[in-house]
Amino acid sequence: MTQLEPQALLVIDMQRDFLSPASPLFVAGGPSIVLTVQRALQAARTANATVVHVRRSHRPDGIDIDSTRRNLFAAAGGFLVSGTPGADEPPELTPALGDLTVIKTRWSAFFATDLDLLLRRLAIRHLVLAGVQTPNCIRATAMDALSLDYVTSVLSDATASQTNEIQAANLADMAAMGITITSVSQFEESLGL
Amino acid sequence: MTQLEPQALLVIDMQRDFLSPASPLFVAGGPSIVLTVQRALQAARTANATVVHVRRSHRPDGIDIDSTRRNLFAAAGGFLVSGTPGADEPPELTPALGDLTVIKTRWSAFFATDLDLLLRRLAIRHLVLAGVQTPNCIRATAMDALSLDYVTSVLSDATASQTNEIQAANLADMAAMGITITSVSQFEESLGL
């Protein structure tokens, strides 16, 4: 039950406002990966691997929303607002004691956050990414992770996009950059489970 | 009652664990500036200037404490822990509706935070600094502010150090860098009050 090398599982943007069909931010492929993300979480915890829940969370007045989403935020009366149900995870993915949480306001989990400081303190050099959505926050995080010299893996069956075509194209692009595209089963094996 | 140019008041680290004599982080000069910081806050709000409360806040396990304070954090059983009274401000400095809050884990308010993003969105180019303590978090924030091209002022009577000598030496150093050392009275005037 010991992992072969220190890894951290990053669960990115698995929040109700991305997973609910009624939300303007709905990611069509999102609901179908909740259970595979949960399985990845359970594997990480069983192996005592670090878990980081990365969440997009915005101040109620939207002052910290991306420029390109300002109109959408206003029209929707806000989304992913800190402390509201839309910013929470679905019940299957509730953080456990010992899990870390990092709040972000942009695509990449590293942008204007203390994620790199935390991982550096933990001496973690290998990141495994899960969540939504692949072309935006998963890819931006993976590219920054590579730039920061992390060994970077993306779980193909625990990430999702609006369409299968977008998902496949992004996984191919990332593989070409040197990012390992893997599965939850392979992640479990890499943890010695 | 209109301010002459857009300014933001940053109130830095005015938290009980810096202001209580029983705390290992106690800043001896801190308690004596609570009322001048409060006066600066009231001036900023009256003039509709932006107010940002910058707070040092740590996860309960201390994973995000500075390397040089790890032993101190462990020996103290933690300090400035998110959600505990020690991380809160004194009652005179309670945030008002419309004030912003930014959490940091290091000296500078800009380091691994979204402060610069917020100020950029608000088109603010002039920062006025208050709080504790002058040689550490005030100075680190002022130097990063200068590096980011903000016009930077420090309120000499609303910042504090362990001793008067340290306070004077740091204000002199900052003045020599091009930082304006000013007072709460002058801040009120600059806001058109």
Side-chain angles (χ1 to χ4, degrees):
Chain A
M1 293 290 181
T2 56
Q3 48 180 319
L4 307 182
E5 62 176 332
Q7 300 182 48
L9 175 67
L10 307 190
V11 176
I12 298 174
D13 289 5
M14 291 297 286
Q15 296 161 274
R16 296 181 192 194
D17 277 349
F18 288 114
L19 300 172
S20 161
S23 164
L25 301 181
F26 177 55
V27 178
S32 71
I33 63 165
V34 169
L35 294 182
T36 48
V37 172
Q38 183 184 36
R39 194 175 134 206
L41 271 172
Q42 289 167 340
R45 290 172 185 148
T46 300
N48 291 315
T50 297
V51 171
V52 186
H53 300 266
V54 178
R55 296 185 185 183
R56 207 184 233 278
S57 174
H58 294 288
R59 293 170 175 83
D61 62 3
I63 191 181
D64 53 11
I65 193 77
D66 316 56
S67 283
T68 52
R69 285 181 170 175
R70 292 172 80 171
N71 292 340
L72 188 65
F73 188 91
F79 41 65
L80 297 168
V81 172
S82 177
T84 68
D88 278 347
E89 70 289 329
E92 295 88 346
L93 308 181
T94 302
L97 193 68
D99 289 0
L100 293 166
T101 299
V102 167
I103 301 298
K104 68 181 174 68
T105 62
R106 293 290 187 275
W107 315 104
S108 167
F110 289 101
F111 193 84
T113 74
D114 67 347
L115 177 61
D116 188 53
L117 293 180
L118 293 172
L119 296 171
R120 185 186 301 216
R121 177 66 55 86
L122 292 166
I124 286 167
R125 300 302 311 157
H126 186 171
L127 306 184
V128 180
L129 275 51
V132 290
Q133 58 171 311
T134 308
N136 299 4
C137 294
I138 300 297
R139 186 163 174 164
T141 301
M143 294 180 73
D144 280 351
L146 272 195
S147 296
L148 291 163
D149 280 343
Y150 290 97
V151 177
T152 307
S153 302
V154 171
L155 297 175
S156 59
D157 52 351
T159 53
S161 304
Q162 296 293 3
T163 68
N164 290 337
E165 290 70 27
I166 293 172
Q167 177 77 359
N170 275 276
L171 293 179
D173 286 350
M174 287 193 278
M177 289 179 219
I179 294 164
T180 301
I181 308 303
T182 184
S183 66
V184 175
S185 290
Q186 288 172 305
F187 176 54
E188 290 168 337
E189 284 174 28
S190 77
L191 292 168
L193 301 179
Chain B
M1 293 293 180
T2 56
Q3 48 180 321
L4 306 182
E5 63 176 330
Q7 300 181 49
L9 175 67
L10 308 190
V11 176
I12 297 175
D13 289 5
M14 291 297 286
Q15 296 161 273
R16 295 182 192 193
D17 277 350
F18 288 115
L19 300 172
S20 162
S23 164
L25 301 181
F26 177 55
V27 179
S32 70
I33 63 164
V34 169
L35 294 182
T36 47
V37 173
Q38 184 184 37
R39 195 175 133 206
L41 271 172
Q42 289 167 340
R45 291 172 184 147
T46 300
N48 291 315
T50 298
V51 170
V52 186
H53 300 267
V54 179
R55 296 186 187 184
R56 207 184 233 278
S57 174
H58 294 288
R59 293 170 175 84
D61 62 3
I63 191 181
D64 53 12
I65 193 76
D66 317 55
S67 283
T68 52
R69 286 181 169 175
R70 292 172 80 171
N71 292 340
L72 188 65
F73 188 91
F79 41 65
L80 297 168
V81 172
S82 178
T84 68
D88 277 347
E89 70 289 328
E92 296 88 345
L93 309 181
T94 302
L97 192 68
D99 290 0
L100 293 166
T101 298
V102 168
I103 301 299
K104 69 180 174 68
T105 63
R106 293 291 187 274
W107 315 103
S108 168
F110 290 101
F111 192 85
T113 74
D114 66 348
L115 177 61
D116 187 54
L117 293 180
L118 292 171
L119 297 171
R120 185 186 301 217
R121 177 66 54 85
L122 293 165
I124 286 168
R125 300 302 312 156
H126 185 170
L127 306 184
V128 180
L129 274 52
V132 291
Q133 58 173 310
T134 308
N136 298 4
C137 295
I138 301 296
R139 186 162 174 164
T141 301
M143 294 180 74
D144 280 352
L146 273 195
S147 295
L148 290 163
D149 281 343
Y150 290 97
V151 177
T152 307
S153 301
V154 171
L155 297 175
S156 60
D157 53 350
T159 53
S161 304
Q162 295 292 3
T163 69
N164 290 338
E165 291 69 27
I166 293 171
Q167 176 77 358
N170 274 276
L171 293 179
D173 286 349
M174 287 193 278
M177 288 179 219
I179 293 165
T180 300
I181 309 301
T182 184
S183 66
V184 175
S185 290
Q186 288 171 306
F187 177 54
E188 290 169 336
E189 285 174 28
S190 77
L191 292 168
L193 301 179

